Amino acid sequence: MVFSLKVILFLSLLLLPVLKSSQVTLNNNGYDGIVIAINPSIPEDEKLIQNIKEMVTEASAYLFHATKQRAYFRNVSILVPITWKSKSEYLIPKQESYDQADVLVADPHLKYGDDPYTLQYGQCGDKGQYIHFTPNFLLTNNLLTYGPRGRVFVHEWAHLRWGVFDEYNVDQPFYISRRNTIEATRCSTHITGVNMVLNECQGGSCIQRPCRRNPKTRLYEAKCTFIPNRSQTAKESIMFMQNLDSVTEFCTEKTHNKEAPNLQNKMCNHRSTWDVIMSSEDFQHLSPMTEINSPPRPTFSLLQSKQRVVCLVLDKSGSMYREDRLFRMNQAAELYLIQIIEKGSLVGMVTFDSSAEIQNNLTKIIDENTYQKITANLPQKPSGGTSICAGLKAGFQAISQSNQSTSGSEIILLTDGEDNQMRSCFEEVKQSGVIIHTIALGPSADRELETLSNMTRGHRFYAYKDINGLIDAFSTISSRSGNISQQAVQLESKTLDIPGKKWINGTVPVDSTVGNDTFFVVTWTIQKPEIILQDPKGKKYTTSDFQEDKLNIRSIRLRIPGIAETGTWTYSLRNNHTKSQLLTVTMTTRARSPTTLPVITTAHISQNTAHYPSPVIVYARVTQGFLPVLGINVTAIIENEDGHQVTLELWDNGAGADTVKNDGIYSRYFTDYHGNGRYSLKVHAQARKNTARLSQQQNKALYIPGYAENGKIIPNLPKPEVKEDVAEAEMDDFSRFASGGSFTVSAVPPNGNHSQVFPPGKIVDLDAKFQGDRIQLSWTAPGKVLDKGRADSYMIRTSKHVLDLQENFDKADLINTSGLIPKEAGSVENFEFKPEPSKIENGTTFYIAIQAIREPNVTSEVSNIAQATNFIPPQEPSIPDLGTNISAISLAIFGLTVIVSIF
């Protein structure tokens, strides 16, 4: 047990995710570098910018008091889309971009309409991805339904910045407290209100009425809603109802409701939001500004990107001769220029060894002739040393000589070598405002490359020996403008080792969201293969239909005429050589039309650097617009510098590393370290006759249906209903590949099974119910090592007092589990036991928790706490009281089973 707690404490300190690169910093109590980006699809509206400014200004004062004078918003950048007219007050962005903004202003999520929400799927205390506001939320009066916009922003900021969770629960809005009262799920319990059914309609007339109890659960019926009193005295909590006038604080240890079955208690082990906030890195060494009552007003900068500017900075030093690196670099760079870079972009190229040379100043990509002008200058002979700084400076020069600003421009830096002088140009890189994406090719690439990416908010990649690693890296470096319809989508990415004179077959599904600008590319290592490609209608393309590159860089491509047919494409490849050779197959495409949102897969690691024995979490997000795609197969391939690969199936089951079930975020712990150095991540998502449907958005500002005032219920306008055919749509078969970049591992011991240092995973979905005189339990099996393998045994304890399990699990009553054999991680476990008859009385409540064990004596954290209440059936049931108190006598009279899960 002691060993387990030490490991868990260590993990909690190290699992600090770097899920996306935010520029926000907290300096002298003021937040700087906040980016609010407007989607290119939003029509131009000056009022939108004005309301954003007013919202942030209001939020800053509210935040200042909510954090007890510790923090406010100092400066904010508003990124105006390129689709809006240019104005003199719009400045050129530096490294600000839509895809890394802290706040997105975009069209609504299909099911949740204008509800503000935060995409947040890390662990407790982990930063979120972004806040999503809709134009309608920012432009219309939402005061009664959400409260002032500034307060809503602070609610969402707490999700985004400090990793706290909501204190309500729309799926379980009521629970039975330890005092046997029905309580609304909230924090704090000092917030008062009434429980009502609003707008129950029959025959054209609608009424309001008090809630009735559900005869099965003894909680209120499903239509029951907690209606807060308009007049309140409670000051907490912002994570429950920030719209109430009296609410100006977060729940503290003193006011926190540990019983409420909400996500904050589940994810943060019943800690208060204020405790989690004060534990964040923002407030570790920050003193309150006690000398002032109000913070300075925020300042705003309006930014607008121009056309995309990219310069390739490619290594052609002597070491690039090894393992065909120069050939592979040229193959991937050509594919990027022809298939990935968006039309209309400005592209230049620099090559370097001991010195650097501008091969092409910026050229606008319009047609085939323009990209051929660039590919014609790809280097053919490697020689010389490695001066990365010379390459970068020449890249800056290529951009500025074309009358473009380096600020906001991008450099793709690829190298396999080391340069001990690289730090000498770091300051110049910082001043340039350029975004640098780095591709480390091979195990000897300079260890400072990642520093360049991190300081400029660029992507970082590592590629081993096969060409696909490079192709995957280049394919991920797409536009950051937010215009998804322009971005390339990778449908296939495979490396095939084919014996001499043998055929190999494969299939690629093309779904109805894509098909424009589709390419099928094959590369080889020795000799050109024979190719047969067939579309779903039976039309065949053979080798003679493909175009071979004039520079003889061992690649051949076919651009599918028009829009690629929807359905399954098949291909056959024959190795014409007598020896085995590696062939790669790549298929890329774009959205079928500007109005069709393609299915997109993105992937990343929870942290860019891992220090053993810290695990990392692999994340893959599969979406169509803001619609999560559920029920598909998602696989991660992780490769180290020696070429050792680990394949990991990712899950969206709400267990282990996965925070929320069925939200389109697939995740898994990675612990199979094989040495120190760089690791690359690649994800493959594929669907076979599944559906895309919307799931509950967990982290959002609560929509208030109405208020109680002077004995009357004053309802707000109801939320618009979403039709079932919108909330759930059938999906075609599809396939997506995505690179998740690279991460670095250190301090791994040289030999041994390193994963055994990790304990079994925590069980987070334990559920309990009475069936007769027995309690039935169910949960998702953890692994022997976090969420991998099979635990050795389980320890189940129960008590009549929830605090016994929360604070002293080892002393609660132990249940005999000798016949319970754990299943493989991810499986559904079921177990039942019979409490001692002497302990079962009318209305007896049992609290149950569980630990997974790996011998010898290595245990998981204690699970969530499940609650089951037993009622003895009455002989003559009576009509229930409509009050909220359930006495022991009335519980016995109603004689039914209560099932509640406490997180």
Side-chain angles (χ1 to χ4, degrees):
M1 186 69 177
V2 174
F3 174 79
S4 172
L5 290 175
K6 287 182 178 179
V7 171
I8 291 163
L9 176 61
F10 187 68
L11 300 188
S12 68
L13 294 173
L14 287 177
L15 281 174
L16 301 176
V18 187
L19 303 186
K20 58 177 282 186
S21 178
S22 174
Q23 286 184 312
V24 177
T25 57
L26 182 61
N27 301 308
N28 297 322
N29 300 92
Y31 281 111
D32 298 323
I34 301 163
V35 177
I36 300 176
I38 302 172
N39 190 277
S41 66
I42 304 302
E44 186 166 359
D45 191 335
E46 187 64 35
K47 183 67 174 174
L48 193 60
I49 292 177
Q50 184 58 37
N51 283 8
I52 290 172
K53 292 180 177 180
E54 291 175 2
M55 174 183 70
V56 175
T57 302
E58 179 184 44
S60 183
Y62 189 60
L63 178 72
F64 185 71
H65 294 290
T67 57
K68 307 184 191 307
Q69 299 173 292
R70 284 176 171 82
Y72 66 96
F73 298 123
R74 181 184 285 118
N75 66 68
V76 176
S77 297
I78 301 175
L79 192 59
V80 176
I82 194 173
T83 51
W84 289 19
K85 293 179 182 177
S86 298
K87 294 184 178 180
S88 58
E89 63 264 36
Y90 293 167
L91 305 175
I92 297 175
K94 285 193 174 180
Q95 290 148 357
E96 299 88 353
S97 63
Y98 180 90
D99 75 333
Q100 292 193 342
D102 306 290
V103 181
L104 301 182
V105 178
D107 289 330
H109 190 291
L110 288 178
K111 187 173 183 181
Y112 303 108
D114 295 308
D115 283 351
Y117 72 91
T118 301
L119 182 63
Q120 175 189 10
Y121 48 82
Q123 307 300 302
C124 180
D126 292 350
K127 291 181 174 62
Q129 298 297 287
Y130 59 76
I131 298 168
H132 179 191
F133 293 127
T134 68
N136 194 44
F137 170 80
L138 291 167
L139 293 172
T140 58
N141 184 358
N142 304 288
L143 190 61
L144 293 175
T145 51
Y146 300 105
R149 278 188 283 262
R151 289 175 169 232
V152 174
F153 187 32
V154 172
H155 176 104
E156 300 306 329
W157 184 260
H159 287 310
L160 180 77
R161 186 69 185 179
W162 303 315
V164 297
F165 296 86
D166 288 319
E167 293 165 341
Y168 62 86
N169 187 341
V170 294
D171 292 328
Q172 194 173 334
F174 298 97
Y175 68 99
I176 295 177
S177 75
R178 73 184 75 171
R179 298 185 304 276
N180 283 336
T181 59
I182 299 179
E183 296 286 351
T185 301
R186 67 199 191 279
C187 194
S188 74
T189 54
H190 296 152
I191 291 179
T192 59
V194 295
N195 306 313
M196 298 289 290
V197 173
L198 299 180
N199 299 324
E200 184 173 65
C201 301
Q202 273 187 340
S205 62
C206 299
I207 61 169
Q208 301 170 354
R209 62 170 177 80
C211 299
R212 304 186 183 101
R213 295 193 186 116
N214 184 309
K216 293 184 178 180
T217 66
R218 302 314 302 143
L219 292 168
Y220 288 128
E221 59 193 299
K223 295 184 288 185
C224 184
T225 303
F226 175 75
I227 308 296
N229 291 325
R230 187 69 170 166
S231 177
Q232 301 276 351
T233 58
K235 294 183 179 181
E236 62 284 319
S237 165
I238 293 169
M239 300 314 292
F240 176 58
M241 283 188 179
Q242 75 289 328
N243 56 298
L244 297 174
D245 291 342
S246 67
V247 171
T248 56
E249 298 178 2
F250 296 99
C251 264
T252 63
E253 183 64 27
K254 183 178 180 180
T255 57
H256 179 61
N257 178 9
K258 291 185 176 182
E259 287 189 296
N262 55 36
L263 204 57
Q264 173 63 24
N265 277 331
K266 173 188 174 182
M267 295 301 301
C268 297
N269 288 326
H270 306 271
R271 293 169 63 197
S272 71
T273 53
W274 184 245
D275 182 34
V276 176
I277 290 169
M278 287 303 293
S279 299
S280 73
E281 58 184 353
D282 284 353
F283 299 136
Q284 288 293 300
H285 307 288
L286 191 69
S287 301
M289 300 174 68
T290 54
E291 68 279 6
I292 62 173
N293 293 320
S294 298
R297 291 176 66 86
T299 59
F300 297 90
S301 302
L302 300 180
L303 312 176
Q304 187 180 42
S305 299
K306 307 301 180 185
Q307 62 198 127
R308 191 179 184 200
V309 175
V310 179
C311 185
L312 304 180
V313 177
L314 306 177
D315 187 348
K316 70 175 188 67
S317 63
S319 58
M320 291 291 287
Y321 177 78
R322 299 174 193 159
E323 299 169 345
D324 270 351
R325 289 176 187 168
L326 194 74
F327 277 116
R328 290 189 287 123
M329 177 185 75
N330 288 349
Q331 287 172 335
E334 183 192 48
L335 181 142
Y336 179 73
L337 293 168
I338 297 173
Q339 300 173 220
I340 307 301
I341 190 75
E342 298 80 12
K343 296 294 186 291
S345 302
L346 294 174
V347 181
M349 184 171 69
V350 165
T351 58
F352 69 93
D353 44 45
S354 303
S355 58
E357 183 179 356
I358 298 174
Q359 301 292 345
N360 298 85
N361 283 318
L362 297 182
T363 302
K364 191 170 187 177
I365 301 295
I366 301 173
D367 53 27
E368 187 173 333
N369 292 330
T370 53
Y371 70 69
Q372 283 183 351
K373 289 180 182 177
I374 304 174
T375 58
N377 292 325
L378 286 168
Q380 298 302 302
K381 293 182 179 181
S383 63
T386 304
S387 177
I388 293 171
C389 277
L392 291 175
K393 292 177 180 180
F396 299 157
Q397 188 179 355
I399 294 169
S400 58
Q401 284 182 177
S402 302
N403 297 318
Q404 296 294 320
S405 172
T406 55
S407 184
S409 296
E410 299 168 72
I411 282 179
I412 300 176
L413 171 64
L414 185 152
T415 182
D416 73 336
E418 295 179 282
D419 178 5
N420 57 16
Q421 299 296 316
M422 190 162 63
R423 281 189 167 269
S424 65
C425 59
F426 278 9
E427 188 58 37
E428 188 174 347
V429 168
K430 291 178 183 178
Q431 296 301 320
S432 71
V434 76
I435 299 164
I436 300 178
H437 311 293
T438 59
I439 303 176
L441 180 55
S444 299
D446 201 292
R447 299 296 167 179
E448 295 282 10
L449 286 176
E450 284 76 11
T451 306
L452 285 172
S453 295
N454 294 341
M455 75 168 63
T456 64
R457 308 181 77 212
H459 294 298
R460 44 187 283 178
F461 303 97
Y462 167 69
Y464 186 57
K465 290 183 178 180
D466 65 77
I467 178 61
N468 273 96
L470 283 178
I471 290 175
D472 295 339
F474 273 106
S475 297
T476 303
I477 307 173
S478 56
S479 169
R480 299 183 161 203
S481 68
N483 190 341
I484 296 175
S485 65
Q486 291 183 357
Q487 295 178 5
V489 177
Q490 196 170 8
L491 306 182
E492 182 68 299
S493 173
K494 281 187 178 177
T495 300
L496 307 167
D497 190 354
I498 306 180
K501 303 298 182 179
K502 296 294 184 181
W503 286 89
I504 194 165
N505 303 316
T507 61
V508 185
V510 175
D511 59 279
S512 58
T513 70
V514 295
N516 190 31
D517 200 26
T518 304
F519 288 87
F520 190 88
V521 180
V522 177
T523 71
W524 60 90
T525 54
I526 303 174
Q527 183 181 1
K528 181 171 65 175
E530 186 176 342
I531 306 169
I532 301 174
L533 176 66
Q534 182 173 298
D535 76 9
K537 290 187 174 180
K539 182 176 180 180
K540 290 185 178 181
Y541 302 90
T542 62
T543 313
S544 60
D545 297 311
F546 283 67
Q547 180 179 351
E548 192 169 351
D549 187 80
K550 295 177 181 178
L551 295 176
N552 189 29
I553 56 174
R554 304 173 194 166
S555 66
I556 192 169
R557 80 174 26 81
L558 172 69
R559 181 172 187 173
I560 309 299
I563 303 295
E565 290 286 347
T566 299
T568 300
W569 288 64
T570 61
Y571 61 85
S572 299
L573 306 176
R574 182 180 189 269
N575 177 9
N576 289 327
H577 201 271
T578 56
K579 295 182 180 179
S580 294
Q581 68 168 329
L582 293 179
L583 305 182
T584 69
V585 178
T586 304
M587 195 169 185
T588 63
T589 187
R590 299 184 198 272
R592 181 161 292 262
S593 72
T595 57
T596 301
L597 291 175
V599 174
I600 295 292
T601 298
T602 56
H604 61 257
I605 293 286
S606 60
Q607 55 200 67
N608 286 336
T609 58
H611 189 280
Y612 180 83
S614 168
V616 296
I617 300 175
V618 180
Y619 291 105
R621 183 175 176 229
V622 188
T623 58
Q624 184 182 13
F626 290 108
L627 173 68
V629 181
L630 310 183
I632 63 174
N633 297 320
V634 181
T635 304
I637 302 98
I638 301 165
E639 185 176 39
N640 75 348
E641 289 184 352
D642 296 330
H644 181 272
Q645 286 192 353
V646 174
T647 300
L648 199 61
E649 182 184 352
L650 306 186
W651 296 336
D652 186 16
N653 61 357
D658 194 62
T659 304
V660 179
K661 183 177 182 178
N662 289 339
D663 64 350
I665 311 296
Y666 299 78
S667 58
R668 199 81 181 276
Y669 286 110
F670 172 71
T671 59
D672 292 331
Y673 296 135
H674 286 261
N676 296 311
R678 295 183 175 104
Y679 286 67
S680 66
L681 167 65
K682 175 179 178 177
V683 164
H684 181 206
Q686 54 185 333
R688 292 287 184 266
K689 303 299 181 186
N690 288 287
T691 60
R693 60 191 185 276
L694 291 165
S695 61
Q696 172 63 37
Q697 181 52 253
Q698 294 285 350
N699 305 301
K700 59 187 177 66
L702 183 61
Y703 182 95
I704 307 302
Y707 297 93
E709 190 169 13
N710 298 325
K712 295 182 179 180
I713 302 298
I714 304 172
N716 292 326
L717 291 175
K719 290 181 65 176
E721 294 287 333
V722 176
K723 295 179 180 179
E724 287 301 317
D725 59 347
V726 175
E728 186 166 324
E730 291 186 1
M731 294 292 295
D732 304 320
D733 290 358
F734 72 80
S735 174
R736 298 289 187 272
F737 283 85
S739 172
S742 66
F743 62 101
T744 306
V745 176
S746 62
V748 178
N751 298 304
N753 185 351
H754 306 312
S755 64
Q756 292 300 315
V757 69
F758 304 107
K762 176 184 175 180
I763 295 164
V764 296
D765 59 352
L766 178 65
D767 184 58
K769 64 180 179 181
F770 260 100
Q771 187 67 36
D773 60 353
R774 305 181 74 84
I775 295 178
Q776 294 182 341
L777 305 178
S778 63
W779 66 93
T780 302
K784 189 170 204 166
V785 176
L786 295 173
D787 56 8
K788 182 181 179 182
R790 185 195 304 261
D792 291 325
S793 61
Y794 291 115
M795 181 186 295
I796 299 176
R797 293 185 182 272
T798 183
S799 175
K800 290 184 180 180
H801 305 284
V802 67
L803 289 179
D804 289 349
L805 296 176
Q806 287 180 3
E807 299 175 0
N808 208 349
F809 176 81
D810 288 337
K811 293 189 177 180
D813 293 338
L814 183 65
I815 302 300
N816 183 356
T817 58
S818 58
L820 177 57
I821 301 174
K823 296 179 182 177
E824 194 72 18
S827 305
V828 176
E829 297 272 30
N830 294 288
F831 179 74
E832 67 176 28
F833 66 94
K834 184 178 180 179
E836 294 179 29
S838 61
K839 293 186 177 181
I840 302 179
E841 301 174 356
N842 294 351
T844 301
T845 296
F846 289 90
Y847 299 95
I848 305 105
I850 186 170
Q851 279 185 317
I853 301 173
R854 186 184 81 234
E855 302 297 348
N857 200 32
V858 179
T859 63
S860 70
E861 291 184 73
V862 177
S863 72
N864 67 295
I865 300 172
Q867 170 185 333
T869 304
N870 184 63
F871 299 97
I872 299 174
Q875 294 180 351
E876 296 181 1
S878 58
I879 299 172
D881 177 4
L882 291 177
T884 60
N885 187 271
I886 306 177
S887 67
I889 295 174
S890 65
L891 288 175
I893 289 174
F894 298 129
L896 291 164
T897 300
V898 174
I899 306 162
V900 180
S901 175
I902 292 183
F903 296 115

